[in-house]
Amino acid sequence: MDQKILKIEEAEAWGGIADCRQCSLRNSVLFAGLNEDDFTRLHRPVEQFVLQPGDLLYAAGESGSSMFTIRSGLIKLVQYLPDGAQRIVRLLRTTDVVGLEILLGDRYHHDAIALQPTELCRYPAKAVNELSIENPRLHHDLMARWQKALTDADAWVTELSTGSAKQRVARLLLRLVRDEDSSECSLFGREDMGAMLGITTETASRTIADFKRKGLIIETATNHFICDVPNLERLLES
Amino acid sequence: MDQKILKIEEAEAWGGIADCRQCSLRNSVLFAGLNEDDFTRLHRPVEQFVLQPGDLLYAAGESGSSMFTIRSGLIKLVQYLPDGAQRIVRLLRTTDVVGLEILLGDRYHHDAIALQPTELCRYPAKAVNELSIENPRLHHDLMARWQKALTDADAWVTELSTGSAKQRVARLLLRLVRDEDSSECSLFGREDMGAMLGITTETASRTIADFKRKGLIIETATNHFICDVPNLERLLES
DNA sequence: CGAGGCGTTGAATGGCCTCAACGATGGTGG
DNA sequence: CCACCATCGTTGAGGCCATTCAACGCCTCG
């Protein structure tokens, strides 16, 4: 229940200074709309580093000045209730921006924790703010990021917080294979699954075990599954 | 279960053309950052109108070019699952913007339905888009609106979709009185409550009835309650 | 007055949670 | 190298809580 989360040492995760102009993700990333001039105005360099599963990127309530873009991997955003209950409210993956709220001068709203080995770029929110005022493309892209986060959040409510445990697990699996666009997907620890779906770890475990027995999913490696998409969808019609 | 929702006739809801410069909400509204010049560039006039409870402002999937600001009242955003299940994902009230997604050229993402008599202003997204590029204040305000919606959506997951039915109802009540900042609040039909909390109408009804018997809430008029805030909060600690 | 919508309540079922035990796995230190 | 321990997934038993299906009273409205 209580996870030992270690705040990463900057030093050990350090991966160097990024050259955004050469970035392989250049076209899908927030900085897609920047030109040569703009980059020179990112006074502080963009840093690149790696998180291991379980590593904490930042904690809820922390003040900070950095935003992040995910190059690869997977990050969970966790929120806590006063009574200690926790809930995962979103998953972020390649090309997603982490920490948008910093743009508005807020503190971080969630715990951001890596679920897989994750490569990130860090850059100062202040620079994004300034650039966005003059660069219409960046301005537009920012709004699009926010809207995407909002759409994800809404889907989280309707798909992953509604219906029976079986349905929620099925929807989670279908969601994951859709992102991968193949019928394979990699899953999480059962505790994380529970925190995503609003069910207990035991129920998550039982449901997955049940799906395995029924052949709805086939485990090819630890927490790596092939999904029987049509039959999972059939589960949702009833 | 199936509600008969009538799309309002523009004509009967018509309330006139708004003069934003004279607006009593001027300082809290999206257009707070506009100046005289800007207003002249809102080529199409801002229209003002009223919805009655149950009226549909727009439907999910509709294409449109208008955004709305709520002058008074209450709007629910409803999303549907393929199997027909519905879930209310957000509530919008005074000064909130409805239909932000239109700014990005999307179709409307939800059904937007009035829960109370609601006064609205309608304006074209295109104009907002153009103005936001040149007006930094509007630019900033837009981001702030999106962030607020996102924060609300996250809270919806952690507060209203987590824990027992009793806890969810208690959190909903506390949320409502916080918005009113007095210990009074007005509630909704039991079916809407269920759709907000991911529980059945019967459970919603039973829980409210139970709270009434225990004196945690006192009904002053139909669906209007005074809440015993401290004891409701105590419910959440366990 | 009758019809329909809505809130309430009852009884029974079933699904999820709680508490508990056990096996498998992987890392650590003797 | 292996015994040991911690962590994680799984499974079982029992109980509670939410759902389901049903009935009934109240109210508004035609």
Side-chain angles (χ1 to χ4, degrees):
Chain A
M1 201 52 172
D2 17 31
Q3 310 169 355
K4 295 163 210 145
I5 294 167
L6 301 175
K7 180 87 185 196
I8 52 145
E9 293 298 321
E10 302 291 336
E12 69 176 306
W14 172 258
I17 294 180
D19 182 355
C20 298
R21 280 156 276 218
Q22 307 279 326
C23 175
S24 56
L25 299 173
R26 176 71 188 274
N27 291 323
S28 18
V29 126
L30 188 60
F31 288 169
L34 299 195
N35 56 36
E36 284 297 317
D37 272 2
D38 292 332
F39 279 117
T40 65
R41 295 177 54 192
L42 275 174
H43 308 294
R44 242 169 57 192
V46 173
E47 299 164 18
Q48 200 173 322
F49 60 100
V50 177
L51 294 186
Q52 292 309 313
D55 283 348
L56 177 68
L57 178 58
Y58 55 72
E62 248 181 46
S63 61
S65 57
S66 296
M67 296 165 54
F68 308 87
T69 290
I70 301 179
R71 291 181 51 77
S72 70
L74 191 61
I75 297 271
K76 64 174 172 181
L77 297 184
V78 188
Q79 228 169 32
Y80 299 87
L81 285 164
D83 67 1
Q86 63 173 287
R87 194 79 203 260
I88 298 175
V89 297
R90 229 167 309 138
L91 291 181
L92 302 176
R93 44 185 76 248
T94 311
T95 73
D96 282 337
V97 175
V98 196
L100 271 176
E101 59 267 39
I102 296 297
L103 255 189
L104 295 166
D106 279 12
R107 287 157 181 268
Y108 292 110
H109 286 189
H110 318 88
D111 281 9
I113 299 172
L115 285 175
Q116 297 174 1
T118 299
E119 298 178 282
L120 292 150
C121 290
R122 159 192 276 126
Y123 41 87
K126 190 155 170 285
V128 176
N129 222 336
E130 288 164 5
L131 288 171
S132 75
I133 293 172
E134 295 170 20
N135 186 320
R137 165 93 185 265
L138 178 56
H139 169 63
H140 175 272
D141 284 358
L142 272 176
M143 297 197 298
R145 302 270 164 187
W146 250 303
Q147 180 55 43
K148 179 177 180 297
L150 194 52
T151 303
D152 281 355
D154 288 342
W156 206 269
V157 174
T158 47
E159 293 179 20
L160 305 185
S161 307
T162 304
S164 67
K166 250 193 266 292
Q167 291 175 318
R168 296 186 196 191
V169 172
R171 289 199 205 99
L172 176 61
L173 289 166
L174 290 171
R175 220 180 138 76
L176 291 172
V177 301
R178 188 164 43 79
D179 286 342
E180 305 292 339
D181 64 31
S182 90
S183 56
E184 289 182 76
C185 71
S186 68
L187 221 50
F188 328 95
R190 302 295 176 264
E191 190 168 345
D192 281 329
M193 277 189 67
M196 288 177 208
L197 304 177
I199 60 181
T200 58
T201 38
E202 293 94 330
T203 302
S205 176
R206 270 185 250 269
T207 309
I208 287 294
D210 189 46
F211 281 7
K212 279 195 282 192
R213 278 188 289 266
K214 286 178 179 159
L216 289 169
I217 55 179
I218 298 165
E219 191 160 23
T220 58
T222 311
N223 271 340
H224 199 257
F225 294 90
I226 298 178
C227 301
D228 179 351
V229 177
N231 280 316
L232 284 172
E233 280 169 347
R234 200 158 304 143
L235 255 186
L236 300 179
E237 289 165 12
S238 54
Chain B
M1 202 51 171
D2 14 32
Q3 310 167 356
K4 295 161 210 143
I5 294 166
L6 301 175
K7 179 89 187 195
I8 53 146
E9 292 297 320
E10 301 291 336
E12 67 177 305
W14 172 258
I17 294 179
D19 182 354
C20 298
R21 280 155 278 216
Q22 307 278 329
C23 175
S24 57
L25 299 172
R26 176 72 189 273
N27 291 323
S28 18
V29 125
L30 187 62
F31 288 170
L34 298 196
N35 57 37
E36 284 297 317
D37 271 1
D38 292 332
F39 278 117
T40 65
R41 296 178 52 191
L42 274 174
H43 308 293
R44 241 170 56 193
V46 173
E47 298 164 19
Q48 200 172 321
F49 61 99
V50 178
L51 294 185
Q52 292 308 314
D55 283 347
L56 178 69
L57 177 58
Y58 55 73
E62 249 181 43
S63 60
S65 56
S66 295
M67 297 164 53
F68 308 86
T69 291
I70 301 178
R71 291 181 52 78
S72 69
L74 191 60
I75 298 269
K76 63 174 173 181
L77 297 184
V78 187
Q79 228 168 35
Y80 299 86
L81 285 163
D83 67 0
Q86 63 173 286
R87 193 81 203 260
I88 298 176
V89 297
R90 230 167 309 138
L91 291 180
L92 302 176
R93 43 184 78 247
T94 311
T95 74
D96 282 337
V97 175
V98 196
L100 272 175
E101 59 267 38
I102 296 298
L103 255 189
L104 296 166
D106 279 12
R107 287 157 181 268
Y108 292 110
H109 286 189
H110 318 88
D111 281 8
I113 299 172
L115 285 175
Q116 298 173 0
T118 299
E119 298 177 283
L120 291 150
C121 290
R122 158 190 278 126
Y123 42 87
K126 189 155 171 284
V128 176
N129 222 336
E130 288 163 5
L131 288 171
S132 74
I133 292 171
E134 295 168 22
N135 185 321
R137 165 93 185 265
L138 178 57
H139 169 62
H140 175 272
D141 285 359
L142 272 176
M143 297 196 298
R145 302 268 164 190
W146 249 304
Q147 180 56 43
K148 179 177 179 299
L150 193 52
T151 304
D152 281 356
D154 288 342
W156 205 269
V157 174
T158 47
E159 293 180 20
L160 304 186
S161 307
T162 304
S164 67
K166 250 193 267 291
Q167 292 175 319
R168 295 186 196 190
V169 172
R171 289 198 206 99
L172 176 62
L173 289 166
L174 290 171
R175 219 180 140 76
L176 291 172
V177 300
R178 188 164 44 78
D179 286 342
E180 305 293 338
D181 65 28
S182 90
S183 56
E184 290 182 76
C185 71
S186 69
L187 221 49
F188 327 95
R190 301 295 176 264
E191 189 167 344
D192 282 328
M193 276 189 67
M196 288 177 206
L197 304 177
I199 59 181
T200 58
T201 40
E202 292 94 331
T203 302
S205 175
R206 270 186 250 270
T207 308
I208 287 294
D210 189 46
F211 282 6
K212 280 195 282 193
R213 278 187 289 266
K214 287 179 177 159
L216 289 168
I217 55 180
I218 298 166
E219 191 159 23
T220 58
T222 311
N223 271 341
H224 199 258
F225 295 89
I226 299 178
C227 301
D228 179 351
V229 177
N231 279 317
L232 284 172
E233 281 169 347
R234 200 158 303 143
L235 254 186
L236 299 179
E237 289 165 11
S238 54

